[in-house]
Amino acid sequence: MRGRLWWLLWIMVLVFLGVTAQAGPVSKFKKLKDTIEVKAKGDTLHYRETSLYSKRDFAQILKEKEGFKSTVIASLKRRYGRYVLTPKVTFNEEKSTVTVQCLIKGAMYAPNAYDFHWLLKDLPFDLYQFKEKGKGLVYNGTVEGVPTIIRLQFPYELAHCHEHVWPRWK
């Protein structure tokens, strides 16, 4: 009986540490606006997310720059998993923005056809909430109360379903 209680306590501590570790420096700052751009180039997707913060929060982010950068990259890898390559975080002091860039590999499932489950899995919508604009798709709404724009750009006119994009037949 004592052994079971010990293991239960140990599991509860690990769960607590896991939850608090995820709610680190990134979540204590409120984004005012978020813009995600994904551009398809061959078998690689070029991902760029720019987040706007208040002057006050941004000043604090700069004080915690290295820790913030590490947490943002860890969060990106946790969210998008094995697809993330060469993540980079930059800070624009003039605009109070943080930009995260990386390459996404492994999302192409056929020539010029991409699976966007990696991007959409944690969002409350799918590609049908995006509007087609030229050779791209654009979402303009809110995510977790933050005004968000998501732009997906392709080198061709496209067709899509809930999570997949492919060239439109002519």
Side-chain angles (χ1 to χ4, degrees), residues 72-144:
V72 167
I73 290 172
S75 174
L76 183 76
K77 288 180 177 180
R78 188 172 42 254
R79 243 185 327 174
Y80 302 141
R82 63 184 170 88
Y83 299 105
V84 176
L85 298 173
T86 64
K88 181 174 97 173
V89 179
T90 55
F91 301 86
N92 184 324
E93 294 183 42
E94 189 176 302
K95 295 181 179 179
S96 298
T97 59
V98 176
T99 300
V100 183
Q101 292 178 274
C102 70
L103 300 177
I104 303 290
K105 287 284 212 174
M108 188 165 83
Y109 65 91
N112 290 318
Y114 302 92
D115 180 347
F116 281 93
H117 178 74
W118 62 271
L119 176 68
L120 299 166
K121 67 182 178 182
D122 295 329
L123 299 176
F125 51 84
D126 61 24
L127 292 177
Y128 286 121
Q129 278 65 53
F130 287 63
K131 288 188 166 77
E132 282 190 47
K133 291 203 176 179
K135 296 178 179 180
L137 293 169
V138 178
Y139 170 81
N140 196 340
T142 60
V143 175
E144 297 179 0

Side-chain angles (χ1 to χ4, degrees), residues 29 32 53-63 96:
F29 302 112
L32 300 179
Y53 293 90
S54 69
K55 297 278 185 204
R56 184 177 178 188
D57 276 355
F58 193 75
Q60 190 61 37
I61 287 169
L62 290 178
K63 287 180 185 174
S96 298

